[in-house]
């Protein structure tokens, strides 16, 4: 099957990012005991958005180096499977798994089409993985297929407001620069920062979730803490911007019985 045109573009970008940052950062991330969220590592103990995962089967769509899956396994998940399209990221994840021995399963595949049976998991998760790099109409449908009835979907992505304020080059500003009408697929500039992301606005995301049998349980908007500083690698948005406006969203939905 021919893969969508955005997959090789994004795979190339994440191969480069792995060489420049995520491979070197993986060990410390895997070693971290506490679950944290987003660019400014807000503690789960503060947000309390995850359900009880002890004994649960979890799949992460777009796992990258799989550090979040490591946290979930350490927190008591029975099974954690990480899926990603970038071999370099998975190579790092496998090296970390060999070192830490947590028992993660890692699969090279597009999160829009996962080679696993229906109704295999209690929780589908994505932190800046499939949640922005895959087509929501496809990956959310795949999440619904993979979940057991009553299973839960948690994903983190950039906020709609943040996306609307990003110029062609540079960090988010205090001005609306991109029309919200028709917002869905965004193709970033060519060169080192080339990539294709998907950012349907909130109302469209509600619709996609409903069409795939999900009920929205919670939606959190995340701000940078007052002591936050700019990320060493991900320069957009700035910490100062994110202290004033929500830069990230955590979505929590439950699959309804069919």
């Amino acid at each position: 099957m021919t893969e969508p045109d955005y997959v090789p573009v994004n795979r190339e970008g994440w191969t480069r990012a792995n060489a420049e940052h995520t491979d070197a950062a993986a060990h410390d991330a895997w070693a971290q005991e506490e679950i944290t969220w987003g660019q400014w590592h807000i503690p789960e103990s503060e947000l309390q958005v995850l359900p009880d995962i002890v004994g649960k089967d979890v799949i992460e769509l777009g796992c990258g180096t799989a550090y979040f899956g490591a946290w979930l396994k350490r927190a008591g998940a029975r099974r954690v499977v990480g899926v990603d399209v970038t071999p370099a990221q998975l190579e790092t994840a496998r090296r970390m798994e060999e070192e830490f021995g947590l028992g993660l399963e890692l699969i090279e595949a597009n999160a829009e089409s996962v080679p696993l049976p229906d109704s295999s998991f209690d929780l589908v998760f994505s932190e800046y993985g499939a949640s922005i790099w895959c087509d929501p109409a496809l990956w959310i449908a795949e999440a619904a297929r993979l979940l057991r009835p009553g299973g839960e979907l948690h994903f983190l992505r950039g906020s709609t407001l943040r996306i609307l304020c990003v110029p062609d080059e540079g960090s988010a500003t205090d001005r609306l620069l991109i029309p919200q009408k028709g917002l869905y697929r965004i193709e970033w500039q060519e060169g080192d920062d080339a990539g294709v992301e998907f950012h349907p606005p909130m109302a469209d995301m509600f619709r996609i979730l409903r069409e795939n049998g999900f009920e929205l349980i919670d939606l959190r908007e995340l701000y940078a803490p007052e002591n936050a500083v700019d990320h060493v690698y991900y320069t957009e948005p700035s910490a100062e911007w994110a202290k004033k406006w929500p830069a990230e969203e955590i979505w929590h939905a439950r699959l309804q019985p069919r």
Side-chain angles (χ1 to χ4, degrees):
M1 180 183 297
T2 302
E3 61 186 11
D5 64 327
Y6 46 86
V7 171
V9 174
N10 292 338
R11 182 186 293 118
E12 181 180 350
W14 277 105
T15 300
R16 182 171 56 252
N18 189 72
E20 295 174 350
H21 174 68
T22 58
D23 181 78
H27 182 275
D28 286 350
W30 272 66
Q32 181 177 307
E33 293 290 335
E34 185 172 23
I35 295 174
T36 58
W37 290 89
Q39 195 161 326
W40 287 280
H41 308 290
I42 301 174
E44 164 64 16
S45 59
E46 176 183 327
L47 295 174
Q48 298 186 20
V49 294
L50 287 173
D52 180 7
I53 61 170
V54 174
K56 300 293 180 63
D57 297 327
V58 179
I59 186 167
E60 182 177 4
L61 300 181
C63 66
T65 60
Y67 59 86
F68 213 112
W71 299 342
L72 295 176
K73 190 67 163 64
R74 195 177 283 122
R78 187 185 75 87
R79 180 190 186 197
V80 176
V81 178
V83 178
D84 205 276
V85 295
T86 304
Q89 294 270 73
L90 289 174
E91 181 180 347
T92 298
R94 291 189 177 105
R95 192 177 76 247
M96 292 299 102
E97 167 57 32
E98 183 176 349
E99 177 178 349
F100 286 88
L102 296 178
L104 269 66
E105 303 169 42
L106 299 164
I107 298 173
E108 183 181 339
N110 183 353
E112 299 167 352
S113 181
V114 179
L116 291 172
D118 296 357
S119 304
S120 297
F121 296 93
D122 304 299
L123 176 69
V124 172
F125 178 81
S126 179
E127 185 213 31
Y128 283 134
S131 57
I132 66 169
W133 300 104
C134 293
D135 186 335
L138 300 178
W139 83 261
I140 289 178
E142 188 68 345
R145 183 187 71 79
L146 291 165
L147 278 172
R148 298 170 180 133
E152 298 188 4
L153 170 63
H154 288 254
F155 61 94
L156 181 144
R157 66 173 195 161
S159 69
T160 298
L161 178 60
R162 166 182 166 184
I163 297 304
L164 298 179
C165 294
V166 176
D168 290 338
E169 295 184 10
S171 296
T173 72
D174 61 356
R175 299 288 187 273
L176 296 174
L177 301 173
I178 299 175
Q180 180 166 324
K181 184 177 182 180
L183 181 66
Y184 193 81
R185 171 174 166 154
I186 300 175
E187 300 188 24
W188 299 113
Q189 65 184 27
E190 295 182 0
D192 288 346
D193 295 326
V196 179
E197 297 184 18
F198 293 87
H199 287 281
M202 285 187 177
D204 292 335
M205 186 61 78
F206 283 137
R207 175 182 54 77
I208 293 169
L209 289 168
R210 287 196 305 270
E211 288 175 350
N212 286 283
F214 286 102
E215 174 191 11
L216 185 67
I217 303 300
D218 196 6
L219 174 61
R220 303 287 185 91
E221 294 180 320
L222 303 186
Y223 294 81
E226 284 306 312
N227 62 350
V229 297
D230 290 352
H231 194 279
V232 296
Y233 185 74
Y234 303 112
T235 58
E236 198 290 307
S238 69
E240 288 307 309
W241 190 95
K243 292 174 187 177
K244 300 174 185 175
W245 298 286
E248 300 171 307
E249 302 167 351
I250 301 174
W251 292 67
H252 172 198
R254 180 175 294 123
L255 186 66
Q256 300 302 293
R258 299 186 185 278

